[in-house]
Every structure is written in structure tokens, then in C-alpha cells.
Amino acid sequence: MNKDYLELSGLTVSFDGFVAVDGVDLTVLQGDLRFLIGPNGAGKTTLIDAVSGLVSATGRAEFAGEDLLGRKVHQIARRGVGRTFQTATVFEELSVLQNLDIAAGAGRSPWTLLRKRSGVPEAVTEAMETVGLADLRDTKAGILAHGQKQWLEIGMLLVQDARLLMLDEPVAGMSAEEKDETGRLLRRICVDRTVVVVEHDMDFMRSFAKSVTVLHAGKVLSEGTVAEVQADPKVQEVYLGPGQHSAEEAAIVLGEGV
Amino acid sequence: MTALLRSRYAVGIGFLVAAVLLFAVAPALLTTFRLGLLGKYLCYAMVAVGIGLAWGRGGMLTLGQGVFFGIGAYLMAMHLKLADAGPGGVPDFMALISSDGVPGWWEPFRSGAVTIVAILVLPTLLATLLGLATFRRRVRGAYFAILSQALAAAFAILLIGNPTATGGSTGLNNFKGFFGFSLRDPANRQMLYFIAAGVLLLMVFVAWRLMVSRFGELLVACRDAEERVRFLGYDPATIKTVAFAVAGMMAGIGGALFVPIVGIISPNDVGVVPSIGLLIGVAIGGRTTLAGPVLGAIAVAWAETTLSEQFPSGWTYAQGLLFMLVVAFLPGGLASLVSWRRRRSDTADPTAGADPEPAPAEVLAPAEGRTT
């Protein structure tokens, strides 16, 4: 089996006594497209913050057999871990091409850095086409539409050669067509990568998730396919409150197929 | 592509015009005295090139460039004083106020070669150490600005507090020669001006190459979204430190040339106020551009001299007012007026630029290997 998988064991993050992520065990294999869902404050974003090195955590977070905890953000990034943020963060003053070129270059020698770019790296050309921004290569990232910025960020993860991609609400604020396009893009790129998506958009999750983990109060509440998770009474309780719920009620919040 | 050609042309023509102005027009039109003043402005402009790189491109608001300027200047001044005193001699001001002779740490600078190496290395080294210490700890924005300003204040106090070694608040002055050439001779003074002009052009060239390099793009990326750069696997502290070190080196060289051209260096030239004065020129000219900092620094220094000649106390107010106006109404400096005009003429040209917000379907259509 391929070693490029994410394995969290007993991952715990606490801020001044408040435990945001509480002993999470989680395994995401290569080729998976795992959605992390859960109510506000469930610890979804904190979890990927911990894996990417933004906040310190205890327990273990292994990717490709190496523990990531305790390393610096840029060192984790160099081990093939890439992430995006809830608000698209691209370099607004630079063009699409420049954004992607920077993402491709973390391993460049000082000598290469001090010279002008002589050609477009192949990975950059490929990524521009994968995310559909080839026609906008010389456009400043700052004037891209919201959805295009998100795709540019995903493109940056691709050229960065991230083998573990963690996306934080990638479709927030997108139109229906943009969401579909993003979902198809994620399906394409997850084939040879490990992809984790934090998302509130249930329709989007149902359409594109290969597997789902539900977090609640920092703990894993349920895990499985979309259908399994939707049918889980514990999940229904968290989303709808305690007690019995009709299929109609569940369908409203968790979507069809319950 | 046309825009690229045009901008490439623009930089080349800009260099040519600057060279003609500096090497032919200015010496022909200006008296020796005025040419000396222009030489002084060029030294400020060297510091400004560095500030443009560190602040304009890298986002490091450095209010303490006077420190690096001062180190370069004092190193050069020490050497000139020692050279004037002759082999084994004691500089005049030291002989006046103390009988201890030349301090041990002055001795290496009897050698011209050691002095030149020190001028190039020490400010750069200090900026590197300072950069690593602060940027690693993610000190930035206003905190970095205050820290650098405090350093400039401390440096001036240190100089004033050691009159036997540094001349105290009077500083070092009354230099007679420069590497064997008499500073009384107008021909030599003109040569110093030419050296300053050449060095400045070289610095602008270096800054230009850095701006268009991948490093330059990375620096802008650090300025605008440092966290994002970190998540791409770079250490922004290193990138910013390199830019800051280059800025420190440029300031040091500017200081070193300032000394023989102006004939005096004192704590008043390196403390908090002159450090901010250097910054104002950069802000007014346009900090993110190549020519803006240089032209801004020269214009502000020139305005200072002219206004001070007419209204001795008026300059400080004019400077403050100018700074406020630029920050409030023209954050990009005067250079933004030029690019604003260029943008306006671009919108009239239907081939320039891509549609900023095309329909999603249009964007998502597979691009058939088109690389324009």
C-alpha cells in the first residue's frame, strides 16, 4: 500500500484549558476525498491548523510515515502538506503565473531565485490548465473573481506538489456552477493524493465526498460514507437536537437519502 | 507582450536619461558648490533605493536606516581622520580632548582596504543579524518600525556619549584628503560627485534586477501575505532578511560617500530625525517603484536646502505637511500618478489586459495548450 496517508492518533489541541480538538483518531488514505463536517466550534479548522503546524498539538499526526507535530509551518509544507484558508489568500499584486511560480519554487537555489524567470515550469502550465486559469495567466490575482481565487489556491497546492491537501471551505461564496466545477476538480486531483475538505455545504458534500468524518465538540462523532453518516442517529441528534426525528426532518438538514 | 516591451524600453531609456543628466548636464550647469550639494542628495538617494526595496517591495517599514548610513559614514570618517594624521599620528580632535592616543579599535581603519571592506560588510552584517533576530520572531509592522527607530536613537546616543572616540555631538569633520587626493581641489570634488553618481546608478540597476527576479516576486508575496508564503514551504524570515541586508548595505555605502562629499558626519545626520527624513522622500516619490524612491529622496533633499535658504525654520512644517498629504491622498506616492495615467491609456487600448471577470463557463473551458 502507498505510504502517502494521513494518520492522526490522539490528536489534542487545547487553548488555555479549552480543548478544541480532543483525542481525535483519523486515517485518510491516498485517493480518498474526505469531508470533515460538524457544527460550528466542532474543531474542524483547528484540526487542520494542527496538522499544518499553525497551532501546537499533542498526540501524533503522521503523514507518509513522519510525525508532523512540533515542526515549523514551512518545514511541514516541504513535506508535501498543503492547505488553503477560509478566505482565499493569494498574492493579489502578482499575476496568476507569478502566484503559481512561487508555489512551485520552495526548493529553488538562491542563484535561481536571484535571476529572472526564463520559462514557465511545466508543472505551472499543467496546473493552470487543470484549474482552468490558463487564459488568465498574466492577470493580477487581486482582480480575479472569488471562485477563480479559490481555484488559483488549489492550483498553487498542485504545483507545490502537495500530496496531502487540506482545504478549508473551498466553495464558500461560490455559485452553483462554480461549486460543481470545484467538486469535479477535487475528484480529478484526489486520484493520486490525499484530500481533506472542511465544509459546511451539505449539498456539496453529498455530491462529491468519498467519505465523511463528523466532528462534534472536538471528538469524532461518526465516520463512513455519506449514506452511513446521514443514517447515524448520533449525527442526527447533533444536528437536530435530542429525541426521535422523522426522515423529513433529517432530510431538511442533512439532505436527501436519510 | 507590447506592455512588456514597453516597460523594458522604459527602464533602459530611464537609465540613459539619468546617466546623461548626472554625468553631462549637471556638471555643465551647476557650480562646484551646487554639484557638491547634488552629490549629497545622491548619497541620500542610495539609502532611498534600499528603503524602496525593504519597505516598498518587502513591507518592512524601517525607521532606522540612519544606523547603517551612520556606520558606513563613521567608518569612512575614521579612516580619513587617521589618514590626515599620518602614519602613527593622532587625529586633531582626539589630541585636543584626551591624551590617551588612538583607541585600539580605530587602528585597523588606518588601512584603506580594511575600511572599504568594513564599509561593505559591517552594515550588511548588522542588518542580517537584526533581520534574523526580528523576522524569525515574526516582529513586523509597527513593532518593527518602532524597534528600528529605537535603534537609531540608541546609536546617536552612543555616538554622543563617547566624545573621545567619535567626536561626540560635533561628530567628525575637517577632512583634508580622500585616499591621497586633496579635498580642497575642485577637480577631486567633482570626481567624488561622479563616483556617487556611478554608484547610485549601479544600485538602481541592482534594485531593478532584484525587482524583476523571482526573489523580487517572492518578496512582494511576503509583503502581501506572509502566512501564505510560509504555507508554500518558504521561510519568509530569510527572504525578508536578504532584502533588509541589501538595504543596509546600500545605506552604509551612501553614508561612506556622504563623508568626503559633505565634509562632516555627526549624530545629527544619523539619528531618528534624519532616518525619518530619508523615509519621507521614499514615500513621496512612490515606494513600490524603481525610480520613485530615488527621485523622491533627491527632490525632498533639494526642497529642504532651497526652502531652508529662504525660510530657515519653515522646512520642518513643509516636510510634515507634505508627508501627511501624500499618506492621506496619494499612498502610492507621486509615482502612482504616472501609472494611473498609463492605466487610463491602457483601457482605451482594447488589446491590453484580459477581462478581469469572465463568466465561469468561459474560464473553465479547457485551455487548448494556449500559451500566449
Side-chain angles (χ1 to χ4, degrees):
Chain A
M1 195 179 75
N2 196 301
K3 276 180 65 191
D4 276 3
Y5 63 91
L6 174 71
E7 182 156 36
L8 309 180
S9 40
L11 189 78
T12 302
V13 181
S14 51
F15 302 111
D16 291 329
F18 169 72
V19 183
V21 176
D22 191 359
V24 167
D25 298 322
L26 185 71
T27 306
V28 188
L29 299 181
Q30 192 187 44
D32 200 351
L33 181 53
R34 172 72 56 95
F35 275 61
L36 285 183
I37 62 167
N40 285 329
K44 308 179 294 287
T45 298
T46 310
L47 189 145
I48 61 175
D49 282 351
V51 175
S52 56
L54 198 58
V55 299
S56 52
T58 55
R60 281 184 82 76
E62 275 183 31
F63 178 65
E66 273 190 292
D67 194 3
L68 302 175
L69 297 187
R71 296 184 197 274
K72 288 184 178 155
V73 165
H74 70 273
Q75 293 168 337
I76 293 175
R78 288 192 178 202
R79 284 175 165 75
V81 179
R83 69 167 291 184
T84 65
F85 295 85
Q86 279 173 19
T87 45
T89 324
V90 293
F91 308 125
E92 311 230 325
E93 289 291 314
L94 300 176
S95 70
V96 167
L97 170 62
Q98 287 172 324
N99 268 274
L100 290 168
D101 185 63
I102 285 177
R108 282 183 189 131
S109 69
W111 179 238
T112 317
L113 280 178
L114 287 177
R115 280 181 306 167
K116 216 175 149 176
R117 180 180 42 251
S118 47
V120 180
E122 201 167 316
V124 171
T125 313
E126 264 176 42
M128 274 193 288
E129 288 178 12
T130 309
V131 300
L133 294 175
D135 289 346
L136 297 171
R137 56 174 250 167
D138 293 321
T139 305
K140 270 193 184 181
I143 58 173
L144 292 179
H146 174 74
Q148 293 170 335
K149 282 185 190 171
Q150 291 281 8
W151 295 329
L152 177 57
E153 278 220 271
I154 295 172
M156 286 162 78
L157 296 183
L158 296 180
V159 292
Q160 186 189 345
D161 203 19
R163 287 166 291 130
L164 169 63
L165 278 70
M166 297 183 292
L167 311 176
D168 200 351
E169 301 196 26
V171 300
M174 281 190 183
S175 69
E177 300 90 68
E178 287 175 324
K179 282 179 190 172
D180 278 352
E181 203 51 56
T182 307
R184 284 198 290 275
L185 174 62
L186 292 181
R187 276 287 170 118
R188 278 204 300 281
I189 64 181
C190 77
V191 173
D192 50 1
R193 293 183 181 83
T194 311
V195 183
V196 177
V197 181
V198 168
E199 195 47 80
H200 277 293
D201 188 316
M202 294 297 162
D203 287 325
F204 182 66
M205 183 269 288
R206 265 194 316 282
S207 309
F208 296 105
K210 286 189 177 174
S211 62
V212 183
T213 297
V214 185
L215 287 179
H216 177 55
K219 293 191 166 94
V220 174
L221 187 71
S222 177
E223 194 169 294
T225 64
V226 176
E228 284 163 7
V229 166
Q230 280 179 335
D232 188 332
K234 284 183 295 185
V235 177
Q236 295 181 4
E237 190 177 310
V238 164
Y239 273 90
L240 299 167
Q244 281 297 310
H245 298 285
S246 67
E248 289 76 33
E249 270 185 301
I252 292 167
V253 182
L254 298 167
E256 303 297 327
V258 178
Chain B
M1 201 63 205
T2 49
L4 186 76
L5 272 177
R6 197 172 51 186
S7 73
R8 219 177 238 176
Y9 260 154
V11 172
I13 291 172
F15 270 108
L16 204 67
V17 170
V20 169
L21 284 177
L22 287 174
F23 287 102
V25 178
L29 292 182
L30 300 176
T31 61
T32 310
F33 171 69
R34 290 284 161 194
L35 199 64
L37 281 181
L38 181 57
K40 174 176 150 183
Y41 308 157
L42 297 186
C43 294
Y44 290 141
M46 292 177 202
V47 188
V49 176
I51 296 178
L53 195 67
W55 182 37
R57 310 296 290 183
M60 293 162 269
L61 177 54
T62 162
L63 298 176
Q65 287 309 88
V67 173
F68 308 114
F69 182 80
I71 291 174
Y74 271 89
L75 286 171
M76 177 62 88
M78 282 156 64
H79 171 68
L80 296 188
K81 286 313 272 184
L82 287 169
D84 284 351
V90 179
D92 47 10
F93 79 98
M94 267 185 203
L96 271 178
I97 53 176
S98 109
S99 53
D100 298 343
V102 180
W105 58 274
W106 269 60
E107 288 298 341
F109 304 110
R110 281 191 195 277
S111 149
V114 169
T115 307
I116 290 174
V117 170
I119 286 167
L120 295 176
V121 170
L122 287 183
T124 319
L125 193 68
L126 179 68
T128 307
L129 294 178
L130 198 69
L132 287 177
T134 52
F135 304 141
R136 281 249 173 96
R137 287 182 178 75
R138 311 203 184 164
V139 176
R140 57 190 161 210
Y143 301 99
F144 176 75
I146 291 166
L147 192 136
S148 62
Q149 188 171 46
L151 204 69
F155 184 60
I157 291 167
L158 185 77
L159 291 172
I160 295 170
N162 290 289
T164 48
T166 65
S169 49
T170 330
L172 302 175
N173 53 34
N174 194 21
F175 310 109
K176 295 183 183 66
F178 178 73
F179 290 85
F181 295 96
S182 167
L183 286 171
R184 306 247 185 287
D185 184 346
N188 290 343
R189 299 189 63 80
Q190 196 180 37
M191 185 48 69
L192 275 171
Y193 162 80
F194 283 130
I195 293 174
V199 169
L200 177 64
L201 282 183
L202 183 69
M203 282 186 187
V204 176
F205 180 77
V206 169
W208 174 52
R209 294 315 302 170
L210 283 178
M211 269 171 72
V212 298
S213 72
R214 279 177 152 138
F215 173 81
E217 294 173 354
L218 201 49
L219 190 61
V220 171
C222 281
R223 177 191 73 190
D224 295 342
E226 190 174 328
E227 270 319 301
R228 193 73 190 84
V229 173
R230 195 168 280 128
F231 280 101
L232 291 173
Y234 297 94
D235 187 358
T238 315
I239 298 154
K240 289 164 79 177
T241 299
V242 170
F244 190 55
V246 173
M249 184 183 210
M250 288 176 169
I253 296 171
L257 287 169
F258 179 90
V259 166
I261 289 175
V262 180
I264 179 171
I265 185 72
S266 76
N268 286 335
D269 299 313
V270 304
V272 171
V273 176
S275 293
I276 294 176
L278 290 165
L279 198 85
I280 290 176
V282 176
I284 290 173
R287 61 192 158 108
T288 61
T289 58
L290 183 64
V294 176
L295 299 178
I298 294 175
V300 166
W302 172 78
E304 177 171 10
T305 312
T306 317
L307 274 177
S308 305
E309 283 168 5
Q310 313 283 334
F311 319 95
S313 61
W315 169 247
T316 322
Y317 298 104
Q319 195 181 32
L321 186 68
L322 209 58
F323 192 49
M324 287 194 309
L325 287 177
V326 166
V327 169
F329 299 110
L330 211 60
L334 294 175
S336 58
L337 291 179
V338 179
S339 53
W340 178 71
R341 241 197 52 198
R342 194 177 290 161
R343 257 204 313 281
R344 297 236 327 181
S345 63
D346 270 0
T347 44
D349 174 7
T351 57
D355 182 5
E357 283 197 346
E362 206 179 301
V363 180
L364 289 166
E368 274 116 31
R370 222 194 81 189
T371 42
T372 31

